[in-house]
Amino acid sequence: MPTPSMEDYLERIYKLIDEKGYARVSDIAEGLEVHPSSVTKMIQKLDKDQYLIYEKYRGLVLTNKGRKMGKRLMERHHLLESFLTVIGVQEENIYKDVEGIEHHLSWDSITCIETLVEFFRREPSRMEAFKAIQAELNNEEA
């Protein structure tokens, strides 16, 4: 199982490859706000753990295992963004909050959140009831 740091790298690499068709060390470093030397070390570890194939000076390619994990991590990230949006978290807090919680939830919790988000999508009247209670509670606090 990858560490939270490995997950961040895999998610970023997967996203870059999905968007640009490739992932360079400099792009990964910029996206994660780390030094290129740190990226190189992590890429070597991900290569050793068979999430990607890395050839010095030539680049990297995700393995099936790496693609599957990267896709799963991206989906988790998007799900948590959707969840926080649904429950009314202010937009400017969502990215930071997702980054703060995504590695601390079990996949069981993620599945339950996914079910809740889907429930609200299918049952808009329940979402309206939730928002009414939320507004009521927010007014009590004010």
Side-chain angles (χ1 to χ4, degrees):
M1 201 65 173
T3 65
S5 182
M6 291 168 76
E7 287 182 350
D8 285 340
Y9 278 85
L10 282 169
E11 183 180 347
R12 185 71 191 150
I13 292 166
Y14 181 87
K15 185 176 182 181
L16 283 166
I17 290 173
D18 188 49
E19 291 174 353
K20 298 170 81 172
Y22 59 90
R24 297 181 313 191
V25 167
S26 59
D27 295 328
I28 299 165
E30 181 182 323
L32 295 175
E33 298 178 354
V34 297
H35 292 284
S37 60
S38 299
V39 174
T40 301
K41 287 177 189 171
M42 181 58 79
I43 286 174
Q44 291 168 342
K45 182 164 180 45
L46 291 169
D47 182 34
K48 182 175 150 276
D49 291 350
Q50 301 178 339
Y51 288 103
L52 55 81
I53 298 167
Y54 174 64
E55 293 183 34
K56 196 171 183 179
Y57 306 116
R58 297 195 55 134
L60 59 94
V61 177
L62 287 171
T63 62
N64 285 338
K65 176 181 175 181
R67 273 191 302 281
K68 184 177 175 183
M69 182 58 74
K71 182 178 183 198
R72 187 176 186 199
L73 295 169
M74 283 292 298
E75 288 170 348
R76 176 183 71 185
H77 191 98
H78 292 306
L79 170 68
L80 291 172
E81 285 178 343
S82 296
F83 173 66
L84 295 179
T85 300
V86 162
I87 63 170
V89 173
Q90 294 179 8
E91 190 173 334
E92 62 268 15
N93 296 326
I94 290 176
Y95 181 80
K96 184 179 76 138
D97 288 352
V98 168
E99 288 298 313
I101 65 173
E102 67 184 336
H103 301 297
H104 302 285
L105 295 173
S106 68
W107 287 104
D108 180 47
S109 293
I110 296 295
T111 300
C112 292
I113 290 169
E114 184 175 32
T115 303
L116 182 62
V117 169
E118 182 62 18
F119 171 76
F120 281 136
R121 189 189 70 73
R122 291 185 188 185
E123 299 286 339
S125 64
R126 301 291 186 174
M127 188 68 226
E128 290 170 23
F130 172 81
K131 294 226 182 237
I133 291 169
Q134 189 176 41
E136 180 184 316
L137 292 173
N138 286 340
N139 286 335
E140 287 177 9
E141 291 175 4

